[in-house]
Amino acid sequence: MSTLPKIGEKDPRYEVLNRRGFNKRFTGKPEYFKLAETVEDVVAAVQEAVTEGKRLSVRSGGHCLEGFVADPSVQVLLDMSLMTGVYFDEEKKAFCIEAGTLLGEVYRKLFLGWGVLIPAGESPLIGAGGHFQGGCFGFLCREHGLAADYLYGAELVVVNENKKAHTIVATREEDDPNHELWWALTGAGGGNYGIVTKFWFRTPGVNSDNPADLLPKAPASVHLFRANWNWEGADQAAFSRLVKNYCDWCEQNSKAGTPEATLYSLLMLRRLQTGSFGMIGLCTAGPAAADISRKHVEAVNEGTGLQFTYETEELSWPAFACNPFPELFGVGMDNARMQGKDAFFRKGLTAEQINAVYKHLTTTEYNIMGAMFGMVTYGGKVNTIAPDATATPQRDCIISSACSAGWGSKEEEAAHIAWNRSLYRELFAATGGVPVPNEQTDGAMINHPDADLADPAWNTSGLHYSAFYWKGNYPRLQKAKMRWDPLNIFRHALSIQPVK
Ligand SMILES: Cc1cc2nc3c(=O)[nH]c(=O)nc-3n(C[C@H](O)[C@H](O)[C@H](O)COP(=O)(O)OP(=O)(O)OC[C@H]3O[C@@H](n4cnc5c(N)ncnc54)[C@H](O)[C@@H]3O)c2cc1C
């Protein structure tokens, strides 16, 4: 039995731990928390919960966008926030990152220790535990690919068919008997197979005695840009041209290895009521970065007749990675409630889709501020990997998009969610209200889960949610599920389903 204390409601830490989750739209009420410090702690805590027949979940960074962890049915919540080591493991010849480490700390330690990086997500407060299993796109994905593309292995606590919790290590080595479990961890998303305690990372195909050669080098500097357009004067024609320009740029500039693949931008199309919409981005091309960035923004504005403001900034890699775009990831996020609905695009938006965006941003039917349609540049190195080489199958997309709404109090929820669902449904009206994999769209990413995909009221395509997240990789993920979590202990609203 576990000797770790059960942190119940009377313990002052309970409330703090229970409010850790980023998306305050969801609240759970576990009977108790456990704070693990070692893999043995995790084995014991899992064994105790399983023996007692309690529903168990795990939290690392708390940045889940859906209610997978803050689920009222969860009785025991294992919190990984004390497991935060980042070091070079001489035996594995790979960088080890413990599951509770937040991304900012990953970036900081990899840079200070070795001058290297893992191309992972944008917010420095995301936790390794949930993040790395979901593919992981980020600011440098066009240049270096996804974090999952560098995953060498992981240590997990799993539960076998005899209800016995035990530790297992899975690596990408072809002769590793647990190779399929490693593969599953490169895109299935957190909460599916067991509790990961550590990840190891190393660039595939590189052998060296110098750790600094075993992951991508951090850029010498990061050139940031921010462009802003006033809604005033932006009529539908100008707006549509601008969005189409952005799509065209992505179609023409998303090849791996090109100077433009060192650029990444987010077009944030906010509601008319906010007064403006904007673009932020970065480029790591050194002396050429300023020129590449300015040309990108000018190409997006081309022919619109609109004026925009343009600001730039130079930062070191760690200064940027540990506090990127504070206006986006900083202040005011502590009480955020939100819904995000993602979609991948292989080609730019159609005129009808751009009209749907314009309509939803300018309508007065919904009196809401905190909502937007966002697009980010995708592709580049991400698209050099085969769809089945990892469990993340979307490997020829050029744009990732999100309809997102954020609000402060419970009372505002219904209007924001209605707006968000309405936009998404209209965007994909031709395919059942969802981005069915086809010539233009290609599903969505599990790191940005959307439980509506499992709801026939919002997904009328007739396709199971797995067709959006994992496409043809799903049967292989199910096989791994049957082998390493045969009792389906680790599950949530969008988890890998065991084969019946
Ligand atoms: C502000 C914000 C910005 C984001 N930006 C990006 C981005 O740029 N790129 C991107 O790819 N994603 C991004 N995400 C999504 C993020 O990667 C996922 O939500 C990820 O799952 C969060 O991991 P976590 O450990 O912080 O979350 P948690 O809420 O702790 O966990 C998320 C899921 O993983 C499971 N899990 C957690 N720890 C473990 C573990 N140790 N072992 C097994 N399962 C575990 C949980 O049970 C849950 O199902 C962002 C999210 C937010 C809120």
Side-chain angles (χ1 to χ4, degrees), residues 29 39 67 110 121 152 167 216 249 259 321 337 345 360-361 400 449 485:
K29 206 168 192 304
V39 65
L110 289 180
Y152 173 72
T167 310
W249 190 94
R337 294 161 190 258
F345 284 85
H360 281 80
L361 295 177
S400 170
D485 184 24

Side-chain angles (χ1 to χ4, degrees), residues 4 104-105 203:
L4 279 180
E105 194 58 3
T203 307

Side-chain angles (χ1 to χ4, degrees), residues 22 57-65 68-69 80 99 121-123 126-127 129-131 133 136-137 190-191 194-196 329 447-448 492:
F22 170 86
S57 188
V58 54
R59 173 176 282 161
S60 290
H63 268 46
C64 190
L65 293 161
F68 299 166
V69 182
M80 304 296 281
E122 296 170 357
S123 165
I126 299 171
H131 183 60
Q133 299 178 61
C136 315
F137 81 103
I195 297 188
V196 178
F329 297 111
N447 256 359
H448 288 177
H492 54 70

Side-chain angles (χ1 to χ4, degrees), residues 16-26 33 58-70 77-81 99-103 123-131 333-334 336 338 447:
V16 173
L17 290 170
N18 209 26
R19 281 191 61 77
R20 263 197 77 214
F22 170 86
N23 193 354
K24 301 291 187 287
R25 182 176 156 212
F26 304 103
F33 287 87
V58 54
R59 173 176 282 161
S60 290
H63 268 46
C64 190
L65 293 161
E66 276 291 349
F68 299 166
V69 182
L77 191 43
L78 199 56
D79 189 291
M80 304 296 281
S81 34
T101 321
L102 304 186
L103 280 191
S123 165
L125 299 177
I126 299 171
H131 183 60
M333 290 298 218
D334 291 352
M338 56 102 51
N447 256 359

Side-chain angles (χ1 to χ4, degrees), residues 136-196:
C136 315
F137 81 103
F139 293 122
L140 301 183
C141 68
R142 284 164 52 90
E143 187 178 0
H144 293 299
L146 306 176
D149 301 341
Y150 294 82
L151 185 70
Y152 173 72
E155 176 187 79
L156 291 82
V157 173
V158 293
V159 179
N160 70 17
E161 65 276 16
N162 301 319
K163 294 193 175 175
K164 179 142 179 33
H166 65 101
T167 310
I168 190 169
V169 170
T171 70
R172 72 172 171 235
E173 300 296 345
E174 288 297 337
D175 59 355
D176 184 335
N178 301 323
H179 178 269
E180 284 299 288
L181 180 55
W182 159 80
W183 179 84
L185 298 177
T186 60
N192 273 300
Y193 293 97
I195 297 188
V196 178

